[in-house]
């Protein structure tokens, strides 16, 4: 990694004699690898992907200038087309943003509101939709919901069952319940009239608060555009951004703001938001277990990732049952 950075120091804007490379912990994205490359004065953020994830980074790169210009995304410095480390055939290098995630902000409300307004603008961005023309055959909102949550959770469950022996705090009965719940949500979305509209919203698809970085001045940045789609659901972005707020006393205000911004172009968005909130909580039950078993191949981050994953699971599982009933009672 360092050898590559030294060889390409000029295009990266770095001093080749002083380059240092450090791995970055990203517990929610273990498939890709992230690194911080610095010469002491200038720092870059490097993200590498295996072949099955490379197309997502390439899609990001194709609209990087639009995202940086209009949506507070970091500026793209370079594409990586070399296999720097085994199994990672493509990557991107961005300017490094020295800022804290919105989740650590003392007063996140003003920035969250600005991001909410940006998402509304993004959803209708014809230029980005045109560049991502390969997604022109738009699916239904039900298809988008299944792709973003149900298919991923199904894949997660396959990996979890393969490495079940490492999950001593999860029973076979729990896993059966998780499988059933994924199918319940899949069927509910497929049957709901609110999900039968055409999905043609341009969406970030992963706009949680750790992907929004805020500087001390209040300036903010939106990162991790890997899941950008021109055939998505505005309700997905709203639900992830507003997840932290939807159980708070301020939720009615935020819900009203989201509905006002959504307008008439995303019919049934209130109903879909509730589905997405439910799926988000189920994701916190299941997806972190996938992180728990997948980190076995990344020993330097194993303990930290597993502690985080177990804590989130043990907090979210009883909360899901409290809201939606015991998974054991599902037909």
């Amino acid at each position: 990694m360092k050898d590559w950075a030294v060889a390409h120091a000029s295009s990266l804007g770095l001093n080749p004699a002083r380059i240092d490379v450090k791995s970055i912990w990203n517990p929610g994205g273990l498939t890709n690898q992230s690194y911080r490359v610095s010469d002491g004065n200038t720092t870059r953020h490097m993200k590498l992907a295996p072949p099955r994830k490379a197309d997502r980074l390439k899609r990001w790169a194709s609209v990087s200038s639009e995202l940086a210009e209009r949506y507070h995304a970091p500026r793209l410095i370079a594409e990586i087309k070399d296999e720097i480390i085994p199994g990672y055939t493509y990557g991107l290098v961005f300017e490094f943003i020295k800022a804290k995630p919105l989740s650590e902000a003392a007063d996140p409300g003003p920035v969250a509101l600005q991001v909410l307004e940006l998402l509304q603008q993004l959803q209708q961005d014809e230029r980005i939709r045109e560049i991502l023309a390969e997604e022109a055959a738009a699916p239904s909102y039900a298809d988008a919901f299944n792709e973003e949550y149900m298919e991923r959770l199904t894949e997660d469950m396959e990996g979890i069952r393969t490495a079940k022996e490492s999950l001593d705090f999860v029973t076979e009965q729990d896993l059966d319940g998780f499988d059933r719940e994924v199918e319940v949500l899949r069927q509910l979305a497929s049957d709901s009239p609110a999900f039968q509209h055409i999905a043609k919203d341009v969406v970030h698809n992963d706009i949680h608060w750790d992907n929004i970085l805020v500087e001390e001045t209040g300036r903010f940045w939106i990162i991790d555009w890997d899941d950008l789609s021109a055939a998505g659901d505005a309700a997905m972005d709203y639900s992830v951004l507003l997840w932290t707020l939807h159980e708070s006393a301020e939720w009615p205000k935020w819900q009203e703001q989201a509905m006002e911004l959504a307008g008439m172009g995303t019919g049934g968005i209130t109903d879909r938001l509730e589905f997405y909130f439910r799926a988000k909580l189920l994701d916190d039950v299941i997806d972190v277990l996938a992180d728990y078993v997948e980190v076995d191949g990344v020993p330097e981050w194993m303990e930290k990732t597993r502690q985080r994953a177990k804590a989130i699971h043990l907090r979210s599982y009883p909360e899901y049952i409290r809201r939606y009933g015991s998974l054991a009672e599902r037909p």
Side-chain angles (χ1 to χ4, degrees):
M1 180 70 68
K2 184 174 180 178
D3 289 344
W4 182 92
V6 169
H8 294 80
S10 178
S11 62
L12 299 178
L14 300 174
N15 181 344
R18 301 181 58 192
I19 285 180
D20 181 55
V21 179
K22 292 184 178 179
S23 176
I24 298 175
W25 181 56
N26 184 13
L30 294 169
T31 302
N32 294 331
Q33 295 291 317
S34 296
Y35 298 88
R36 185 172 301 166
V37 185
S38 177
D39 64 5
N41 292 316
T42 301
T43 304
R44 304 302 187 200
H45 179 88
M46 181 186 298
K47 192 165 193 174
L48 302 178
R52 68 187 182 91
K53 294 287 188 178
D55 284 347
R56 292 177 177 241
L57 288 191
K58 291 176 182 177
R59 183 170 53 190
W60 179 357
S62 72
V63 292
S64 62
S65 59
E66 284 78 11
L67 296 176
E69 179 183 346
R70 299 197 294 278
Y71 299 105
H72 298 232
R75 182 171 58 92
L76 178 64
I77 304 297
E79 287 186 81
I80 301 172
K81 300 180 180 179
D82 305 315
E83 189 171 356
I84 304 175
I85 57 177
Y88 291 82
T89 56
Y90 183 80
L92 301 175
V93 181
F94 295 94
E95 60 181 330
F96 175 75
I97 308 301
K98 187 177 181 180
K100 293 182 178 181
L102 184 61
S103 56
E104 297 179 14
D107 183 16
V111 171
L113 179 58
Q114 291 181 70
V115 174
L116 190 63
E117 292 169 345
L118 266 186
L119 292 180
Q120 191 271 341
Q121 177 183 326
L122 174 68
Q123 288 148 21
Q124 303 174 32
D125 194 310
E126 292 298 335
R127 175 56 182 158
I128 291 181
R129 186 178 286 118
E130 178 184 353
I131 295 172
L132 302 178
E134 72 277 4
E135 300 183 20
S140 69
Y141 282 136
D143 294 329
F145 177 82
N146 287 333
E147 180 179 352
E148 290 306 319
Y149 274 121
M150 301 304 102
E151 291 181 12
R152 176 163 51 80
L153 292 178
T154 298
E155 183 179 340
D156 284 345
M157 287 301 302
E158 293 173 356
I160 290 166
R161 285 189 178 278
T162 300
K164 167 64 177 66
E165 64 279 359
S166 66
L167 293 164
D168 58 0
F169 54 94
V170 179
T171 68
E172 194 66 35
Q173 184 179 14
D174 290 333
L175 296 181
D176 290 342
F178 301 158
D179 282 332
R180 287 194 297 271
E181 195 66 11
V182 169
E183 291 308 311
V184 165
L185 280 186
R186 190 196 307 274
Q187 192 61 50
L188 287 173
S190 297
D191 293 343
S192 170
F195 279 88
Q196 304 316 309
H197 302 272
I198 297 299
K200 55 183 180 181
D201 306 327
V202 182
V203 289
H204 181 285
N205 267 331
D206 195 22
I207 192 73
H208 59 78
W209 285 17
D210 285 343
N211 279 341
I212 302 167
L213 304 181
V214 185
E215 297 179 349
E216 292 183 358
T217 61
R219 184 184 184 187
F220 67 91
W221 304 81
I222 299 175
I223 62 172
D224 282 0
W225 292 83
D226 307 41
D227 295 325
L228 176 70
S229 172
D233 188 347
M236 172 66 173
D237 274 359
Y238 290 154
S239 68
V240 176
L241 177 67
L242 300 175
W243 170 249
T244 306
L245 300 166
H246 88 286
E247 286 289 296
S248 72
E250 296 181 330
W251 170 239
K253 179 193 72 173
W254 286 101
Q255 184 181 38
E256 181 181 353
Q257 183 70 44
M259 297 308 100
E260 181 180 338
L261 289 170
M264 299 303 293
T266 51
I269 192 170
T270 301
D271 292 337
R272 296 201 311 280
L273 267 177
E274 291 306 315
F275 274 86
Y276 274 105
F277 283 141
R278 181 170 174 175
K280 175 67 174 69
L281 186 55
L282 186 61
D283 191 64
D284 282 351
V285 174
I286 297 174
D287 190 59
V288 291
L289 298 181
D291 295 338
Y292 190 99
V293 299
E294 287 174 4
V295 77
D296 187 53
V298 190
E300 65 266 37
W301 298 124
M302 182 181 295
E303 182 178 358
K304 189 174 183 180
T305 299
R306 286 190 166 179
Q307 286 179 349
R308 172 187 179 273
K310 184 175 181 179
I312 292 175
H313 171 82
L314 294 178
R315 180 177 69 246
S316 302
Y317 190 11
E319 178 63 14
Y320 192 94
I321 293 173
R322 183 186 71 81
R323 294 190 194 184
Y324 304 112
S326 173
L327 276 61
E329 298 171 358
R330 303 295 184 195

